[in-house]
Each structure stands twice: as C-alpha cells, then as structure tokens.
C-alpha cells in the first residue's frame, strides 16, 4: 500500500510540476507557429525560384536552388529543436531538484485546494507530523487534522492567506494517538486563471521544542524574580546604542515605578534623596570615565526614605564610548536600621563602661583617701604610742626593748604598705596631671623591680596629650599602669623605653 501511495504522490507532484513546466515553455510554444511560418515561406520561396529556373530550362540551377532552400530549412529546424531539447533537460533537472526538496524536507509541505480546503499533495514529513497514513490523508480537509478549539482560527487564517497572499500563524495538529503537536504554519496563496482552481501552499514546522524552551525560560525568569524579591535585589541594563533602559520587576518595586512608566536617568535621579543627589550624580559621572561604581545612598519613595546599594559594570568600545551598562540595586534599609541599632547599642555599652569606670575610680579614690587619712592616722598614733612606751621602759629590760623595736618596725612597714596601696588605688600625683602621674609610676616601678623606664614624647604633642580632661587622664594612666604590671611578670630586660 505504501508503494502505491508513493507512486500516487509522485504522480500528483509530477503532474503539478509539469503544469509549471508547460507555463515555462509557453513562450516556446507561442513562437513555434511563427517559426514554422518562416520555414514555410522560405521553402515556398525556394520552390518558386527553382520553378523559375526550371521554366527557363536551367534544370541544374533549379535543383540546386531547391536543395539549398531545403538545407537552410533543415538547419534552422535542427537548431530550434536542439534549443527546445536543452530547455526540456534544464526543466527536467529543476523538476528533479524540486522533487528531492519536496520529499526530503524535514518540515511539512502541503498543497491545499483553495476551493474546498482538501489536501491535494503533501510530503512524508507532513504525513508523519499529522500522524496519519499517507493514502488516508488524500482528500481530507485541512481542518480535520487539527485540534477542535483551533479549527475556527485555522479557517480564519486560511481566509487571510487567500485575501493577503501570505499569513503565518500557530496551531495544534493531532497525531494518530490523539496527542497534540504545536506547529507553526506559513501559508502562501497560488492563484490561477481558472476560478476555483487556486491553491494554498502550507509549510508546517514543529515548534514543540521551541515552546518547551520558552516555558523553561519563563520558569527561570520567574525563579529569578522570586529570588530577587526575597533578597530585595533588582537589576537593570542600559544599552546606549539602542537607547534603551530596562529594569527588572524587583527594581521597579524598590523605586515604586509602574510597569508601563518610561525610564530615564533623570527619573532615577529625582528619586534620590536631595542630600545624596549630588554625590550619586558625581559617582555616576566618574563611572562613565572608567571608575568603579559601588555606592550606598538614600531614596525617597512615596514619602518614605529607603537605603539602597548600587553596583554597576560598564562596557566601553575601542574609542572609549560606553556601549552597555549592567547593574544591581539592593534595598538595604533593614540592614541600615540594624546598623543604627547596633551603633546605638555600642554607644550605650561605651557609656555604661565609662560610667562603671567612673564609679570604680570614685570608689578607688574613696578607698585611697580612707586608707591614707583614717588608717594612716591610726597607724601614726600607734607608732607614737609605741615610741612613748619605749621611752618609759626600764633600760635593763632588753627583751621588752627589742619587742618594742620590732613593733615600731612592723608599724612603719604597715604605714608604708598602706601608703603604697592608697597610691596604687589613686596616686596623689594623678591630681596634678598625666605627666606627674606617669613620672610617679616610673619611679615607683623602678623602686619595686629595679627596671628603669623613660618616657619620650613630642613636645608639640605635650599640650594635647597632657592637657586631657580628668576621665581621659585617668583612662590613660590606667592603661600605662596595666602595661607596667604586665612587665613586672613577663619582662627580663633591665632597660626599656616607652613612647
């Protein structure tokens, strides 16, 4: 059955192309009567001339003239026949090439009657695409091969082909198993002189892979939009050559720009906070000269101030002109609010630490003064009592004298320890400034450890360093005191210099 179908398709196709061939050879057929008339006139003229020679008795001349006329006619006829044969061979070659193209094309090609929309001719790709036996498709109307919802649209598009001569549209054809196959159809009208004998040539292309790729692209764009919305990150693209500026959906949401609103640089600049506008414009102008563009600034959207971060990369041509710019805009308002909250927390912690240090220093001052004043007075009185007792004892009582001497020495050591503790907690030299307190600390450190230090400083900085207020003076002294205490436990050098 398939062999018969192939023969039938080939014969139909050959018949259609032969009609084209006849149309191409129409000038040859139309000029043939004129050519035959010319040969007839030439032959008649030769016969008349031969008859004239024969009537005068010139038989040889008559025969020669007749043979010459016959030879000329035969030569012209042979030349003409050779030209016709050459044209026929060229047409046969063209016919073979078109036949190979028709049957080997990977897209569907069909010839449909303009009168009743029946299939007249189609290639194997069309039959495979529409899922039917080739013999069964002959004579079928074209709308019977397509899905029901699109039949009315198909009829409309075929009418458009006949009216306009050409039309392109999409449809869904039905396979043998009822599965729908999306196709792109391009129709062209072929009109003839006879009414009702026109044709429609349909080129049918399977676009299922293209639609699948478009669906995947839409899914990717949707995922990208969701991801940008989650991180509040929009993107934009500037094409200077095409004079186009494209913003992503999230970018428009950040700036509260409608989807159909035109986008310009001035529109963006107007949304920037007035206090940041000059800085943003200057950064963009620098970026046009090749500088990096990474900036944080404020924008005003619907009366609300937001923070954004913008990053852009610009591409330049060989002559230094900007071609394309690609960038991102991220809403960092929440991050800025957290930074401000963190800054406030750090400020509060510093203030609390300063308050604690102030309370601690006040407590040290109080303890130092109580040790120096009250305990010092009691120890001094105790030493005076011991001295008076020593003067009243019997000189011969050596044991009691030694005991009193040891007691006085212990009291002196205790007085010295109290003074050291009071000075360590709050040296009196600290009231005279940082320089006096530092010199006292160096002297005391040398007495305790035998390690000598010296302090060198720039005289021009003396007024700034040693003219600090009391809280900063106390803080600087405590830092220096902590360093010396650290050296007591870790240093083995005999001479050091602190700057």
């Amino acid at each position: 059955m398939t062999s018969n179908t192939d023969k039938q398709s080939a014969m139909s196709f050959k018949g259609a192309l032969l009609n084209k061939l006849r149309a191409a050879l129409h000038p040859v057929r139309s000029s043939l009567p004129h050519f035959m008339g010319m040969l007839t006139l030439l032959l008649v003229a030769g016969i008349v001339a031969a008859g004239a020679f024969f009537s005068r008795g010139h038989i040889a001349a008559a025969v020669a003239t007749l043979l010459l006329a016959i030879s000329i006619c035969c030569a012209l006829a042979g030349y003409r026949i050779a030209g016709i044969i050459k044209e026929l061979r060229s047409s046969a070659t063209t016919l073979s090439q078109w036949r190979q193209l028709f049957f080997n094309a990977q897209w569907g090609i069909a010839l449909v009657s303009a009168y009743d929309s029946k299939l007249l001719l189609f290639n194997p790709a069309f039959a495979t695409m529409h899922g039917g036996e080739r013999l069964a498709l002959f004579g079928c109307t074209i709308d019977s091969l397509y899905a029901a919802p699109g039949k009315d649209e198909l009829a409309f598009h075929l009418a458009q082909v006949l009216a306009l001569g050409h039309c392109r549209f999409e449809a869904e054809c039905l396979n043998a198993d009822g599965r729908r196959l999306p196709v792109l159809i391009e129709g062209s009208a072929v009109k003839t002189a006879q009414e009702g004998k026109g044709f429609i040539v349909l080129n049918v292309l399977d676009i299922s892979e293209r639609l699948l790729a478009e669906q995947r692209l839409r899914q990717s764009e949707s995922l990208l939009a969701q991801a940008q919305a989650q991180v509040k990150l929009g993107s934009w693209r500037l094409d200077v050559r095409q004079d186009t500026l494209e913003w992503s959906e999230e970018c428009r949401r950040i700036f509260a720009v409608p989807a159909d609103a035109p986008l310009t640089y001035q529109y963006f600049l107007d949304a920037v906070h007035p206090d940041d506008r000059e800085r943003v414009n200057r950064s963009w102008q620098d970026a046009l000269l090749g500088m990096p563009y990474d900036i944080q600034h404020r924008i005003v959207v619907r009366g609300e101030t937001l923070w954004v971060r913008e990053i852009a990369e610009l591409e330049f041509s060989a002559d230094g002109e900007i071609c394309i710019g690609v960038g991102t805009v991220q809403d960092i308002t929440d991050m800025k609010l957290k930074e401000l909250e963190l800054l406030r927390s750090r400020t509060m912690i510093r203030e609390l630490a300063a308050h604690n240090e102030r309370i601690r220093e006040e407590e040290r001052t109080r303890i130092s003064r109580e040790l120096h004043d009250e305990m010092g007075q009691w120890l001094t009185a105790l030493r005076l009592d011991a001295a008076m007792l020593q003067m009243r004892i019997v000189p011969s009582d050596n044991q009691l004298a030694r005991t009193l001497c040891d007691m006085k020495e212990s009291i002196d050591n205790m007085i010295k320890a109290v003074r050291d503790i009071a000075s360590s907690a709050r040296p009196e030299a600290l009231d005279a400034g940082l320089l006096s307190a530092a010199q006292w600390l160096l002297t005391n450190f040398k007495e305790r450890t035998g390690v000598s230090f010296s302090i060198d400083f720039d005289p021009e900085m003396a007024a700034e360093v040693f003219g600090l207020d009391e809280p900063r003076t106390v803080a600087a002294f405590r830092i220096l005191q902590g360093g010396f205490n650290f050296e007591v436990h870790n240093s083995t050098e005999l001479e050091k210099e602190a700057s």
Side-chain angles (χ1 to χ4, degrees):
M1 181 179 296
T2 303
S3 177
N4 294 334
T5 304
D6 292 341
K7 290 181 180 180
Q8 185 175 354
S9 299
M11 292 298 293
S12 300
F13 181 69
K14 185 175 181 180
L17 288 183
L18 283 177
N19 291 331
K20 294 286 185 180
L21 181 61
R22 293 190 188 97
L25 294 179
H26 179 70
V28 177
R29 297 197 307 270
S30 61
S31 63
L32 188 59
H34 298 284
F35 179 73
M36 295 301 295
M38 183 185 67
L39 290 181
T40 302
L41 289 177
L42 182 59
L43 184 59
V44 170
I47 293 174
V48 172
F53 281 116
F54 185 78
S55 63
R56 295 177 183 179
H58 301 292
I59 299 175
V63 173
T65 301
L66 183 60
L67 292 176
L68 178 61
I70 295 173
S71 300
I72 293 174
C73 291
C74 291
L76 291 175
Y79 177 78
R80 188 61 176 173
I81 292 172
I84 293 175
I85 293 174
K86 183 178 179 180
E87 292 179 1
L88 289 175
R89 288 178 177 175
S90 177
S91 300
T93 302
T94 303
L95 177 64
S96 176
Q97 292 174 350
W98 278 103
R99 185 179 185 279
Q100 292 179 3
L101 174 64
F102 183 82
F103 284 101
N104 295 326
Q106 298 301 313
W107 68 92
I109 304 175
L111 193 65
V112 180
S113 172
Y115 176 70
D116 53 9
S117 301
K118 290 185 177 181
L119 283 173
L120 303 177
L121 184 65
F122 52 88
N123 67 343
F126 182 88
T128 301
M129 192 178 299
H130 291 75
E133 294 291 338
R134 294 180 60 186
L135 186 59
L137 293 179
F138 277 106
C140 293
T141 57
I142 189 66
D143 58 352
S144 65
L145 303 179
Y146 287 84
K151 287 186 177 182
D152 296 337
E153 295 182 2
L154 180 64
F156 170 77
H157 290 305
L158 292 179
Q160 289 290 102
V161 172
L162 294 175
L164 303 177
H166 181 270
C167 184
R168 179 181 294 180
F169 55 94
E170 294 183 5
E172 290 184 342
C173 64
L174 295 174
N175 285 336
D177 55 359
R179 184 171 55 90
R180 298 186 178 186
L181 180 68
V183 293
L184 174 65
I185 302 176
E186 184 174 1
S188 300
V190 180
K191 297 182 180 180
T192 61
Q194 298 179 358
E195 185 178 357
K197 295 297 184 181
F199 303 98
I200 298 178
V201 179
L202 299 179
N203 289 290
V204 185
L205 181 65
D206 181 2
I207 59 172
S208 56
E209 293 184 0
R210 191 200 75 183
L211 294 181
L212 182 60
E214 291 177 353
Q215 181 182 3
R216 291 175 179 173
L217 178 60
R218 286 192 296 269
Q219 291 176 351
S220 299
E221 291 177 348
S222 177
L223 290 176
L224 177 60
Q226 292 177 4
Q228 288 186 347
Q230 290 176 2
V231 299
K232 299 182 179 180
L233 178 67
S235 59
W236 56 267
R237 184 178 186 274
L238 172 65
D239 191 335
V240 178
R241 295 177 178 176
Q242 300 295 330
D243 193 22
T244 58
L245 176 61
E246 300 175 0
W247 280 11
S248 68
E249 181 180 351
E250 181 62 19
C251 194
R252 288 178 175 271
R253 188 201 64 79
I254 293 175
F255 285 86
V257 179
D260 55 347
L263 300 174
T264 61
Y265 175 70
Q266 188 60 41
Y267 188 97
F268 156 75
L269 202 60
D270 291 341
V272 178
H273 194 280
D275 296 341
D276 299 341
R277 192 170 297 162
E278 182 179 355
R279 178 172 61 90
V280 172
N281 185 50
R282 185 172 59 251
S283 299
W284 176 249
Q285 298 302 325
D286 293 341
L288 296 179
L289 299 177
M291 300 294 291
Y293 185 81
D294 187 349
I295 186 173
Q296 297 182 8
H297 63 87
R298 291 166 294 176
I299 61 175
V300 180
V301 178
R302 296 174 180 172
E304 183 182 1
T305 301
L306 304 177
W307 278 91
V308 295
R309 180 188 180 187
E310 297 179 1
I311 302 176
E313 293 184 359
L314 306 181
E315 296 181 7
F316 297 88
S317 61
D319 55 357
E321 296 293 332
I322 180 175
C323 300
I324 296 176
V326 179
T328 58
V329 179
Q330 185 176 14
D331 184 355
I332 58 172
T333 305
D334 294 340
M335 184 180 70
K336 279 293 182 179
L337 294 177
K338 292 179 180 178
E339 287 181 358
L340 293 176
E341 183 65 26
L342 180 61
L343 182 60
R344 284 194 293 267
S345 299
R346 289 178 176 176
T347 303
M348 293 176 61
I349 291 175
R350 284 197 296 268
E351 293 176 352
L352 180 61
H355 177 73
N356 291 338
E357 186 63 28
R358 185 168 57 253
I359 296 299
R360 186 182 301 172
E361 193 63 31
E362 292 176 356
E363 187 67 17
R364 288 195 187 110
T365 302
R366 185 187 65 80
I367 293 175
S368 175
R369 288 175 180 174
E370 289 181 357
L371 288 175
H372 182 273
D373 296 342
E374 297 184 10
M375 187 171 289
Q377 292 178 2
W378 285 103
L379 290 175
T380 301
L382 183 61
R383 191 183 186 287
L384 291 176
D385 292 341
M388 293 179 63
L389 182 62
Q390 187 179 13
M391 289 186 297
R392 294 180 180 180
I393 63 173
V394 180
S396 59
D397 195 348
N398 296 329
Q399 180 65 31
L400 183 58
R402 283 194 302 270
T403 302
L404 289 174
C405 288
D406 293 339
M407 185 181 296
K408 289 172 58 179
E409 184 178 357
S410 298
I411 294 173
D412 291 338
N413 291 334
M414 187 176 295
I415 292 175
K416 184 177 182 302
V418 168
R419 288 177 179 175
D420 290 341
I421 294 174
S423 298
S424 177
R426 173 75 181 190
E428 296 180 356
L430 191 58
D431 296 332
L434 182 59
L435 180 59
S436 299
Q439 290 175 347
W440 172 85
L441 186 62
L442 294 178
T443 302
N444 181 267
F445 186 78
K446 183 177 181 181
E447 292 176 354
R448 287 190 299 156
T449 64
V451 180
S452 63
F453 279 79
S454 63
I455 298 179
D456 294 335
F457 57 88
D458 188 353
E460 296 180 357
M461 303 261 319
E464 181 179 354
V465 173
F466 298 110
L468 301 175
D469 55 8
E470 183 179 357
R472 289 182 174 84
T473 299
V474 173
F477 174 77
R478 294 305 178 191
I479 293 174
L480 188 62
Q481 187 181 36
F484 282 125
N485 292 333
F486 178 79
E487 289 295 333
V488 170
H489 298 89
N490 297 279
S491 178
T492 58
E493 298 179 8
L494 297 178
E495 190 79 20
K496 287 191 176 292
E497 182 175 351
S499 297

